[in-house]
Amino acid sequence: MRFPCVQCGKETDSLARGMYRKIVSRTEEKFLCLHCLAERFKIPEESLRQQAEFLRKTCSLFY
Ligand SMILES: [Zn+2]
């Protein structure tokens, strides 16, 4: 299945979707890419990516 970002239309990857589930909603079927997610929460994209890559090691929401 494909999950384009609902804001910019860019394809989301499992990292972006995992982070979205983690910090927005676990049951959501629509996702934001890391870039738009970072903008929404007013944090640098790179810092969000680093957090996501760290969390992915232990969190089952990243699929
Ligand atoms: Zn986006």
Side-chain angles (χ1 to χ4, degrees):
M1 263 178 105
R2 293 163 58 84
F3 300 97
C5 171
V6 293
Q7 196 160 304
C8 71
K10 190 181 155 213
E11 196 70 18
T12 58
D13 55 17
S14 63
L15 193 68
R17 294 196 297 272
M19 205 54 181
Y20 191 86
R21 290 185 185 102
K22 186 94 186 164
I23 64 182
V24 182
S25 164
R26 283 175 186 234
T27 53
E28 200 68 66
E29 290 296 315
K30 294 171 180 166
F31 301 99
L32 289 172
C33 67
L34 273 185
H35 176 79
C36 296
L37 201 56
E39 277 198 344
R40 173 172 297 191
F41 287 92
K42 308 273 183 252
I43 50 178
E45 183 178 348
E46 196 45 45
S47 137
L48 186 69
R49 177 177 299 277
Q50 281 169 11
Q51 285 180 51
E53 276 167 3
F54 176 75
L55 288 166
R56 180 158 64 174
K57 292 173 189 163
T58 52
C59 179
S60 62
L61 294 173
F62 291 78
Y63 53 87

